[in-house]
Each structure stands twice: as structure tokens, then as C-alpha cells.
């Protein structure tokens, strides 16, 4: 009930002021409606007095107060007291006037602080003043002329203060720090408003009239937004030149409209707009999509090569800034646009060789047009930027997208198809850097360009070193058309040479690696290391084991790899694993096991190869930061080494080494301590403890049952079980590998049979062994001869009868226990002698300190005692040594 009657007085003042704040300058009413008290509030709101101007209201103010109507009876009691006190009407200002008053208040505060040399306040208020200027620009309102006056006076005051060295030295630290900060702010502000300051200093008294005349003149609307949110170009109101002296279309922001009816931007306007975009880059409130759209418009408006280079550099950087999160990858359409713009930039730089993009350049004015051999420029104009950083970022975003996309979905395959586009851009960048190095440039510039060239060569090598020849040729074929338009490379062979030669892809990898090897300084150590590992990986992938092994051992990387970064250590582990697979493919079982042993002993194969996340343990949990870093290091799925195949190769190699070793050890406790593969032994012991073992279901089951068949001498069943493993289909030369593997199983089956059952024979025919294990008789003879030579078998070959004659003297159980007891007794004796010597040595040293003159006799007796003990110990050791030799002869394995 009360809202209807009190709305006239409660809402009229609050709503009118708030609505005026929201209205623009064109929507502001020409006059202010004077509030009156009347009996009916609706009639007073609709009165015609709201259309009158402010001047008419001020002139008729007295008359209106005299002819005021009586107040409504509902409101008479509420405002009877306040009516007598408020004889003066409130002054209601527009939002624009309030902004100007706020601006003038800050200017006045700076002037007051200037009088007392309070630079801290000046710096603080000046920052607020710059924010108010930005607000004026966003609202398309002119900046008051008092700003130019203040900047001019503040610049002179700052120069005068700096000239007084004594006063500066006596200045307090906070004040001096604020003054130094103002130096940088004033330098930038004076540079931005140089034209307006020159006009003010030329005619300080008539500057206000020129500004008012410029504001009253009709404005040409801006055509391009330049800030993150569509903010128009910052223009300080300046006094225009006389119309008779200024040619038509000589405005600061625009050129003359051409025949097509399209207005083009001048060089100064484009560079100012570009500077505004770069200043807004990185701010929290910046609209990145609007920034990109603005730069695209600037790219269309750019006319000279220098302008296009500057705009494209800023545009590519803005596209990479679109995704600020490190955990998400760049949108695919944005990535494709960035790649195409980077390719166009490389084409533009190749066509205009007088412009070079360098990371480190001398300071230059980026607000003016730069041309070769003009305005102090040399024949080559350096532009600040980094092409190789764009390539690195493009590569990283591609890898990150592959890490986050489901590898079993079609989207992953489609995304992987973009690799040929990326590879094409990398090759074009390599050609551009090679062309720059061929120019006659200063030595410093050559140094700056050589480093990006090595980095882009490293990027190209990383794309092809782990791929088969077919995929390398596919990448080169997709790039063949682009390579035809590029000059011949002095680093790598041409596509025709790579395609025609049988080892063309290997020659390409070799050429890239050789170029990286040629850098002797310390800065290129990481590139040389990665190039060496990449070449070793490529040789191992192509089953060239001995070349890969020799290069790997000559590099001595195993001695210093622990000092390398995480990515290089991951590459080292991958190379080691690939060497093991290569050795298995060529039939070198011991070398294969030695290469894979170090990786599988840790039990963290996935983490070491960057193909999985470390789970941690109860006592050593993985932190969130560590897990984040591990995820960033993960390799894309198409670069993974199949872990099931790797485990299968390791278990088969361990089986071929462990089964003869276990048969040779027999019941001897000393020999049984020798373990070749502990992971394999653990799996075998666990399998032996199972009460029931069904048919094999996975790779481990197949290998364990094959191991048991080999222990029993059933080599045919072992070969059948090994060949039935389905993971062998991932081996490139599967038939040849399985044939070599079957021959190894036959050989190790023969050795295991001789270790287990030779004690039951006095002699054994070589023909029988050859027939049993389906091996050539000469091959069987060589195996037996090698076992005799290595003291693994106490036997001789009878060439006349073609048999193996065994020579042995077996120990019974009592003799074996006696030898074990002698070993333990000897160990206890040595330990007691060591304790006795330590105690006698301490007491002898104490007696020497107390005896004085009788120390010589005590020392002599102690020496004789120790000499006797040493003689006895030597005698005991000699006897024990003889026992050991005799035990070795008696207990030699047969």
C-alpha cells in the first residue's frame, strides 16, 4: 500500500539520476525536469515542463516557487519540516559532466602533489589519470585539454628535478623510486601524444580554442577496432590545421578513398592500432577472439612487406595465446590457421630477403615504416620476432593434441594426417634459414640464424627417425611439390635422391645427423646427443644391429646420460629397448637380454619409456605436480613401443639363458646362487607353486609352459608353444625371426639335455644327439666341443667312434656336506682372527703409551705373535686352497 503513495518522492530522484548515468551523450535530455509536489503524482510526471531548457528553468525559478501548488495531503506531514530548509534546488549533473569533474579532480591532485615534490602521490594519481583517459576513449569521448597541459608541465618539472643532482641524492628512497618510475611513464606518454604536445607548446594560450573547434567539427568514424574488446583507436583531441593548407584526405587515420570505395589506413594508423593490440595482449579482460579478428583486418589493410610481416607476426602469436591453459590443446581450426599463416610468413620472407626476422635486434622505432637503405637503415632490415619459436609451439600443440585425443578413435587418425602439413612447414622453414645464411650478412646475424636452423633440422629429424622407410617416403612425397619450388638444400639430399636410392631414407637421416654433429661448442651438446640417439634408433629399427651398437658404444652416453634432461633420458631408454629388439631379430639372445635387463629389472617399463604414468607406492606417493609433469612427457600413441611384444622378447631370451643355467647348477648351492634374470625366476617360481595350471591364455603362460617343456627336454613342444604366441605378428620379418628362434631352442635343448642326463651315460653317440634334436652332426659336435672348452662338461670326444666319453668322479652326500662345513668353518676362523688382531692392536698401543722404555720388548713379542698367527693363517689358507681345488676337480659338472 505504501509503495504507491511514496513512489513519487522515493523513486523519482533515485531513478532519474541512475538513468542519466546510463544514457549516452545523444540520449541525454536537453533540460532537467524540475520535481514538483502536487496532489496527483502521475499528472506531474506527464507535465510539459520537462521539455524546457536549463536556462529557462533558471530564469523562471523564482516565479515557479511562488506559484507552487499545495502539497498532496498524503505527503504534507512528511515533508513539512524539510520544505522550509531546502530553499535551494539540487543541481543534477549528467554522467558526462561527472566524468569530467573526476578527471579535473585528479589533475588538481597531481598539481598539488607537484608543489610539495610528492612523487609517490604523483605516480599514483598519474596511473589513475591514465585509466580515466582509457575510459574516455572507450566511451568515444574526447580527452580534456587539461591532460595535455598537465603532461607538458609534468615533463618540464621532471626534467628540472632531475637536473638538480643534490636534491635527488637527498630524496628519500620511496620518493626517488616513484620518480624513477615516472620517468618511464612520462617517456611513453610523451611519445604517444607528441603531436598534441607540440601544438600546445607552440601556442599555449590558443590551444583550448583549437581543441574546442576540433571537437565541434564533424568526425569521420573509425573503420577498425584495435583493442581486445572493439575499442577504437586512441585519438587525443588536437587542433586541426587550416582547411586551406591541408589537402583533402590528409587525416591522421585515413587515406583518400580509392576507386573501389574502400578507405585504406595510413602507416601511422596501422602501427598505432598494432601497438594497441600488443599492449592489450596478456591482460585478463582481453577478448582474444576479438583481438584475432582485429589483426585479420589489419592484415588485409597492410600494404608494404614490412607492414605485412609485423601484422602476421602479431597474428600468429595471438593465435597461440588463444588457449591459455597448459592442460588443454589448441583448437584444431585455430592450429590450421596458425600453420597456414606461418607458411605464408615464410613465403613472404623468402620473397622479400631484405627483411630478416631475428630474436635479438637493436632498438628501433616500431611506429614508423622501415625500408632498406632509408632513414639510417642498412641493406637488410631486421625485424624483432622468432620464426623458430612459432615452429616449436606448432609442434608442441600438435603433440599435445595427440596426447589428449583417444588413440582408438578415428579422430586420432585424422589428426595424425596433419603431420605431413607440419612436416612441409618445417622443410620450408629449413629452406628459408638456409637461404638467409647464404646472404652476405654480418657475422653476428649469421650466428643468430644458425641456431634456429639447427633447431628446425632437429625438429625434422624427430619426425622421421622412428619411422619405417615407407612412411618417410610418404612424408617426402607429400612435400615433393613444395620442395620443387624451393632451392636445393645443401644439408639434405633432394626428394628424387631419397626416392630412387634403396637406402634413401637412411641417407636423409644420416645427413640431418651429420649437420648436427658439426657443432662443437657446448651449447650444441644436447642436439648432438639427441642426434646420435636418433641415428642409433633408426639403425636398430632397420635391423642393422652391429652399426647401431658400435655408434652407441662410441658415444659413451651411458656414462653421462644421468645428467641429461628428462626428454633425452626417455629417448635413451627407447634406444636401449630398440637395440634389444634388434638383437633378438638378428638372433643375438645374450645381447638382447643384456639390453633389456636394465629396463625390466626396475619394474617401471611404462614410466621409463614415457608410455604410462607412475603410480607410486604407499611409502613414496606421486604428487600432483609430478603426475602433471609425467603426463606432459608422454609420447603420442603412434610412437609407442608395444610393451607386450617387449615383454615377450625379454621372457623368451631369459628362458633360453636361464634353463641351461638352472640345469648346470643342479643341486649345488653355490651355483644356484647365480641368477641371470630375477624377474623371470620370480615368474617361474610363482608358476611352479600353482596347484593347477590350465592351458596358456596370455604371453606369460605360453612362455612359462614352454620353459617347463624345455627343462624336460621336449624341445618340439617348446617351439610349438612359442610359435603360437600371437604378438609375433608385430615383428617385421616374422618368419625369419621364428626360424632363428627355433634353432636357438634346439641348441639350448641339447645343452640342457646334456646337463640333466649326462650322469646316466658313460658315452653318448653324436649321431643319436643329431637325430634326437634334428641338428646337423657337425653342429652338434661344435656345441659339445664348446661346452668342454668352457669347463661345463667333463668329457672327451672320440673321433674314431664319433662318441662323447664322459669322465667324472661323483661326490656322495656326505662329501658335499663336508665341503660345505669346511667353507663355513674357514669363514668363522677368519672372522675370529680379525677380531683378535683388532683387540691385540688396541692393547698393544695402550701398553706402549704406559710402558715407556719397555715398549721395544713388548713390540718385538707382539710382532712375533702376529707373525706366528699370519704364518698359521697362510698355512690354513693354503690347505683350504688345496681343498677347494680338489673339490672343484671332484665336483666338476657333467
Amino acid at each position: 500500500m505504501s509503495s504507491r503513495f511514496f513512489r513519487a518522492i522515493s523513486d523519482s530522484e533515485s531513478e532519474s539520476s541512475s538513468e542519466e548515468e546510463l544514457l549516452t551523450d545523444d540520449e541525454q535530455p536537453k533540460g532537467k525536469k524540475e520535481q514538483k509536489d502536487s496532489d496527483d503524482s502521475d499528472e506531474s510526471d506527464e507535465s510539459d515542463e520537462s521539455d524546457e531548457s536549463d536556462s529557462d528553468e533558471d530564469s523562471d525559478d523564482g516565479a515557479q516557487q511562488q506559484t507552487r501548488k499545495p502539497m498532496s495531503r498524503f505527503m504534507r506531514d512528511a515533508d513539512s519540516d524539510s520544505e522550509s530548509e531546502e530553499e535551494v534546488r539540487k543541481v543534477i549533473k549528467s554522467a558526462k559532466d561527472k566524468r569530467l569533474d573526476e578527471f579535473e579532480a585528479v589533475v588538481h591532485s597531481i598539481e598539488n602533489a607537484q608543489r610539495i615534490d610528492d612523487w609517490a602521490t604523483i605516480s599514483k594519481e598519474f596511473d589513475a589519470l591514465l585509466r580515466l583517459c582509457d575510459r574516455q576513449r572507450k566511451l568515444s569521448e574526447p580527452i580534456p585539454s587539461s591532460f595535455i597541459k598537465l603532461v607538458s608541465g609534468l615533463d618540464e618539472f621532471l626534467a628540472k628535478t632531475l637536473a638538480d643532482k643534490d636534491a635527488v641524492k637527498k630524496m628519500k628512497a620511496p620518493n626517488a623510486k616513484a620518480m624513477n618510475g615516472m620517468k618511464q611513464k612520462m617517456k611513453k606518454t610523451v611519445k604517444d601524444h607528441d603531436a598534441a604536445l607540440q601544438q600546445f607548446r607552440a601556442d599555449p594560450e590558443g590551444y583550448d580554442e583549437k581543441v574546442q573547434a576540433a571537437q565541434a567539427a564533424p568526425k569521420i568514424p573509425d573503420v577498425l577496432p584495435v583493442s581486445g574488446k572493439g575499442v577504437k583507436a586512441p585519438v587525443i583531441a588536437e587542433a586541426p590545421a587550416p582547411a586551406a593548407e591541408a589537402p583533402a584526405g590528409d587525416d591522421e587515420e585515413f587515406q583518400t578513398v580509392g576507386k573501389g570505395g574502400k578507405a585504406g589506413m595510413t602507416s601511422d594508423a596501422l602501427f598505432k592500432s598494432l601497438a594497441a593490440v600488443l599492449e592489450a595482449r596478456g591482460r585478463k579482460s582481453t577478448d582474444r577472439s576479438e583481438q584475432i579478428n582485429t589483426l585479420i583486418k589489419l592484415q588485409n589493410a597492410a600494404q608494404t612487406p614490412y607492414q605485412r610481416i609485423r601484422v602476421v607476426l602479431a597474428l600468429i602469436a595471438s593465435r597461440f595465446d588463444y588457449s591459455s591453459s597448459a592442460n588443454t590443446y589448441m583448437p584444431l581450426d585455430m592450429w590450421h590457421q596458425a600453420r597456414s599463416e606461418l607458411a605464408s610468413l615464410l613465403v613472404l620472407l623468402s620473397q622479400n630477403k631484405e627483411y630478416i626476422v631475428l630474436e635479438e635486434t637493436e632498438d628501433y622505432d616500431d611506429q614508423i615504416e622501415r625500408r632498406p637503405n632509408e632513414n639510417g637503415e642498412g641493406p637488410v632490415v631486421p625485424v624483432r620476432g622468432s620464426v623458430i619459436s612459432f615452429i616449436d609451439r606448432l609442434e608442441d600443440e600438435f603433440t599435445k593434441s595427440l596426447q589428449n585425443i583417444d588413440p582408438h578413435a578415428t579422430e586420432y587418425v585424422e589428426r595424425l594426417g596433419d603431420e605431413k602439413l607440419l612436416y612441409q612447414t618445417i622443410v620450408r622453414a629449413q629452406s628459408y634459414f638456409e637461404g638467409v645464411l647464404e646472404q652476405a650478412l654480418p657475422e653476428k646475424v649469421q650466428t643468430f640464424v644458425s641456431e634456429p636452423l639447427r633447431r628446425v633440422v632437429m625438429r625434422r629429424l624427430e619426425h622421421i627417425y622412428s619411422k619405417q622407410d615407407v612412411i618417410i617416403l610418404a612424408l617426402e612425397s607429400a612435400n615433393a611439390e613444395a620442395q620443387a619450388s624451393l632451392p636445393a638444400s645443401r644439408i639434405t639430399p633432394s626428394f628424387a635422391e631419397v626416392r630412387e636410392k634403396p637406402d634413401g631414407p637412411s641417407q636423409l637421416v644420416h645427413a640431418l645427423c651429420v649437420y648436427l654433429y658439426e657443432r662443437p661448442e657446448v651449447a650444441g651438446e644436447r642436439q648432438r646427443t639427441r642426434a646420435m640417439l636418433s641415428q642409433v634408433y633408426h639403425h636398430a629399427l632397420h635391423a642393422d644391429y652391429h652399426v647401431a651398437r658400435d655408434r652407441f658404444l662410441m658415444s659413451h652416453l651411458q656414462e653421462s646420460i644421468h645428467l641429461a634432461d628428462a626428454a633425452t633420458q626417455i629417448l635413451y631408454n627407447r634406444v636401449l629397448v630398440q637395440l634389444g629388439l634388434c638383437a633378438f631379430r638378428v638372433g643375438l639372445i645374450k645381447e638382447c637380454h643384456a639390453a633389456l635387463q636394465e629396463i625390466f629389472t626396475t619394474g617401471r617399463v611404462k614410466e621409463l619409456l614415457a608410455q604410462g604414468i607412475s603410480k607410486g607406492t604407499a611409502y613414496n606417493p606421486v604428487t600432483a605436480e609430478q603426475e602433471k609433469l609425467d603426463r606432459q612427457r608422454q609420447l603420442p600413441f603412434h610412437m609407442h613401443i608395444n610393451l607386450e611384444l617387449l615383454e615377450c622378447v625379454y621372457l623368451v631370451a631369459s628362458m633360453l639363458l636361464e634353463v641351461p643355467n638352472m640345469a648346470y647348477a643342479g643341486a649345488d648351492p653355490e651355483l644356484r646362487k647365480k641368477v641371470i634374470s630375477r624377474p623371470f625366476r620370480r615368474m617361474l617360481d610363482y608358476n611352479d607353486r600353482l596347484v593347477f595350471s590350465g592351458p596358456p591364455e596370455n604371453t606369460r603362460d605360453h612362455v612359462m609352459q614352454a620353459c617347463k617343456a624345455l627343462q624336460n627336454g621336449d624341445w618340439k613342444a617348446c617351439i610349438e608353444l612359442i610359435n603360437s604366441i600371437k604378438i609375433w605378428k608385430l615383428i617385421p620379418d616374422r618368419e625369419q625371426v621364428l626360424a632363428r628362434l627355433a634353432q636357438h631352442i634346439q641348441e639350448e635343448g641339447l645343452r640342457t639335455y646334456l646337463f640333466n642326463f649326462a650322469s646316466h651315460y658313460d658315452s653318448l653317440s653324436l649321431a643319436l644327439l643329431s637325430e634326437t634334436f634334428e641338428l646337423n652332426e657337425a653342429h652338434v659336435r661344435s656345441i659339445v666341443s664348446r661346452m668342454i672348452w668352457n669347463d661345463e662338461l667333463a668329457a672327451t670326444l672320440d673321433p674314431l667312434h664319433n662318441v662323447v666319453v664322459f669322465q667324472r668322479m661323483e661326490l656322495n652326500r656326505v662329501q658335499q656336506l663336508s665341503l660345505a662345513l669346511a667353507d663355513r668353518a674357514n669363514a668363522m676362523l677368519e672372522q675370529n682372527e680379525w677380531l683378535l688382531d683388532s683387540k691385540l692392536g688396541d692393547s698393544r698401543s695402550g701398553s706402549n703409551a704406559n710402558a715407556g722404555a719397555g715398549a721395544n720388548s713388548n713390540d718385538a713379542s707382539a710382532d712375533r705373535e702376529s707373525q706366528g698367527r699370519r704364518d698359521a693363517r697362510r698355512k690354513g689358507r693354503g690347505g683350504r686352497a688345496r681343498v677347494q681345488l680338489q673339490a672343484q676337480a671332484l665336483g666338476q659338472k657333467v
Side-chain angles (χ1 to χ4, degrees), residues 94-233:
S94 64
K96 181 177 180 181
D97 294 337
K98 290 182 179 180
R99 288 191 290 270
L100 292 177
D101 291 344
E102 185 179 359
F103 196 95
E104 296 299 332
V106 176
V107 171
H108 184 67
S109 177
I110 294 176
E111 292 175 350
N112 290 337
Q114 187 176 346
R115 295 188 184 96
I116 59 175
D117 292 340
D118 188 1
W119 286 102
T121 304
I122 292 175
S123 178
K124 180 180 178 181
E125 295 295 332
F126 192 75
D127 291 338
L129 188 65
L130 293 179
R131 289 194 294 269
L132 293 178
C133 291
D134 292 338
R135 187 181 67 178
Q136 292 292 106
R137 298 187 188 103
K138 291 179 181 179
L139 297 175
S140 301
E141 295 180 1
I143 297 177
S145 59
S146 58
F147 175 74
I148 300 298
K149 295 180 182 179
L150 176 69
V151 171
S152 178
L154 198 57
D155 188 26
E156 295 175 358
F157 178 68
L158 179 62
K160 182 179 179 181
T161 304
L162 292 175
D164 191 357
K165 302 294 184 180
D166 296 335
V168 173
K169 292 180 180 180
K170 297 178 182 179
M171 194 176 295
K172 295 183 179 180
N175 210 24
K177 183 178 179 180
M179 184 185 67
N180 292 330
M182 280 298 299
K183 288 170 58 178
Q184 303 298 328
K185 297 176 187 177
M186 288 301 301
K187 183 178 179 181
K188 184 178 183 302
T189 306
V190 170
K191 182 180 179 181
D192 293 341
H193 307 92
D194 188 27
L197 288 172
Q198 290 180 2
Q199 291 182 3
F200 172 74
R201 289 166 180 169
D203 187 12
E205 297 180 357
Y207 181 74
D208 290 340
E209 298 178 359
K210 294 180 181 180
V211 170
Q212 293 176 1
Q215 294 177 358
K219 297 181 180 180
I220 301 176
D222 295 334
V223 293
L224 287 176
V226 298
S227 71
K229 294 187 177 180
V231 182
K232 296 183 179 180

Side-chain angles (χ1 to χ4, degrees), residues 461 463-472 505-506 509 533-549 574-583 585-586 638-642 645 730-733:
L461 178 62
H463 273 276
I464 62 176
Y465 82 92
S466 62
K467 293 180 173 59
Q468 297 287 348
D469 292 348
V470 178
I471 304 178
I472 296 177
S506 298
V509 173
L533 292 174
S534 300
Q535 192 172 12
V536 172
Y537 190 98
H538 186 76
H539 283 299
L541 188 66
H542 291 74
D544 196 357
Y545 173 76
H546 294 92
V547 176
R549 181 200 61 187
R574 286 168 53 81
V575 169
L576 201 61
V577 165
Q578 196 63 240
L579 273 174
L581 291 176
C582 178
R585 289 168 59 187
V586 299
H638 69 281
M639 296 182 66
H640 285 191
I641 300 174
N642 191 280
L645 174 64
L730 298 180
I731 295 286
D733 42 358

Side-chain angles (χ1 to χ4, degrees), residues 636-691:
F637 182 76
H638 69 281
M639 296 182 66
H640 285 191
I641 300 174
N642 191 280
L643 297 180
E644 186 179 356
L645 174 64
L646 203 61
E647 184 183 22
C648 180
V649 169
Y650 175 73
L651 291 178
V652 170
S654 300
M655 178 191 70
L656 294 176
L657 296 177
E658 275 288 0
V659 171
N661 179 56
M662 294 167 61
Y664 174 71
D668 192 342
E670 294 296 330
L671 294 177
R672 293 185 65 179
K673 293 180 180 178
K674 181 183 176 182
V675 178
I676 297 177
S677 176
R678 293 191 181 277
F680 179 82
R681 282 287 187 94
R682 286 195 295 267
M683 292 182 189
L684 189 60
D685 292 342
Y686 173 76
N687 194 269
D688 290 338
R689 288 194 300 268
L690 294 178
V691 178

Side-chain angles (χ1 to χ4, degrees), residues 47 180 190 316 381 447 483 522 560 594 655 660 691 706 748 750 753 864:
S47 63
N180 292 330
V190 170
I316 298 174
V381 178
T447 304
Q483 284 186 356
V522 180
S560 59
M655 178 191 70
V691 178
E748 299 303 328
L750 172 59
Y753 180 81
R864 285 193 298 270

